[in-house]
Amino acid sequence: WPAASRELVLTDVPILVEEFSKLPALLFADKELCDVKIICNGKTFECHKLVLSCRSDVFKTMFKNDSDMAETNTGEVEIKDFDDETMKTFLHFIYNDKIVDEKLIDTRLLHISEKYNVRELFLLCRSHLEKNLSFKNAIDVLVSAHLTNQKSLFDAASKFVWHNRGHLMKTESWKELKETNPKVANDVLTSMLNL
């Protein structure tokens, strides 16, 4: 290549990198080349295996050609353990690397990011929840931190719950946890006492 051509190519690299970084967001908006459907609570999200696989090794394993998983053959992934709003927020992050509104960050988003191993989202959720503990979410955050084995989040939630125990132990969240999953409630209390 002539020297002038090489200079042109080298100076265009930052522009190409910037343009390439916009590709997932563009794909999210354009459904024409979608090759997989995520079905969640009766809602269908059209997606791209390549994008999902690049962001999640769990999806990558699902979509491998040599996989015996049904998703490989059907082009559909049915997700039953999360609601469609959580799925929508999760997929938006996968394609755009951001959350539309911080109010959408909750323990369900923490759990889905852990399940599908989207580390950047998991760390974002953990940090946000740790900094935004409230009477409304503290019990849920405490249990989620326990279930996902997140010590710093568990410690922060434990301290919040302990300092507000008179109020929080009377909430519907705590009563529901004790009724629906007494073992987890007991484990959480035991772990709090061991801090």
Side-chain angles (χ1 to χ4, degrees):
W1 285 357
S5 296
R6 269 187 262 128
E7 285 180 348
L8 179 65
V9 171
L10 292 177
T11 58
D12 285 346
V13 168
I15 295 167
L16 292 172
V17 169
E18 183 181 332
E19 290 302 312
F20 185 73
S21 69
K22 296 176 186 175
L23 184 60
L26 294 171
L27 286 171
F28 190 64
D30 182 5
K31 303 300 181 191
E32 187 176 345
L33 298 175
C34 291
D35 56 356
V36 66
K37 293 178 181 179
I38 305 281
I39 301 166
C40 184
N41 283 352
K43 187 161 184 176
T44 301
F45 300 92
E46 294 188 36
C47 299
H48 305 83
K49 289 179 183 179
L50 179 64
V51 175
L52 297 176
S53 296
C54 286
R55 297 303 301 265
S56 163
D57 58 351
V58 176
F59 282 124
K60 185 176 184 177
T61 300
M62 255 186 230
F63 302 139
K64 278 186 177 177
N65 288 335
D66 60 347
S67 172
D68 290 335
M69 299 181 87
E71 294 85 356
T72 305
N73 302 320
T74 65
E76 293 183 352
V77 178
E78 188 168 359
I79 297 178
K80 298 179 181 178
D81 46 352
F82 296 99
D83 63 84
D84 56 300
E85 284 303 312
T86 299
M87 181 56 63
K88 180 179 176 182
T89 304
F90 174 69
L91 292 172
H92 186 274
F93 182 87
I94 282 180
Y95 278 86
N96 297 283
D97 212 28
K98 62 184 175 183
I99 300 291
V100 176
D101 184 351
E102 283 189 351
K103 292 176 187 168
L104 299 171
I105 300 173
D106 59 15
T107 56
R108 294 173 304 209
L109 198 57
L110 178 81
H111 284 286
I112 198 170
S113 63
E114 183 205 30
K115 179 176 181 175
Y116 292 98
N117 200 22
V118 179
R119 183 149 177 78
E120 299 85 2
L121 180 57
F122 183 82
L123 295 174
L124 174 75
C125 291
R126 185 182 71 187
S127 174
H128 178 82
L129 291 170
E130 198 170 311
K131 293 174 187 171
N132 293 282
L133 288 164
S134 67
F135 289 124
K136 186 177 178 182
N137 72 2
I139 299 294
D140 198 25
V141 170
L142 184 66
V143 172
S144 294
H146 175 74
L147 294 174
T148 58
N149 199 27
Q150 293 301 304
K151 184 170 175 14
S152 67
L153 183 57
F154 184 83
D155 291 350
S158 292
K159 287 175 188 167
F160 185 90
V161 169
W162 184 255
H163 290 298
N164 298 287
R165 64 190 173 276
H167 175 75
L168 289 170
M169 296 303 174
K170 296 174 187 172
T171 63
E172 288 302 313
S173 297
W174 182 252
K175 291 174 188 173
E176 183 181 324
L177 176 65
K178 285 193 326 185
E179 289 173 15
T180 60
N181 204 334
K183 182 182 179 340
V184 170
N186 187 49
D187 290 349
V188 165
L189 283 174
T190 302
S191 297
M192 281 177 59
L193 292 172
N194 290 331
L195 284 180

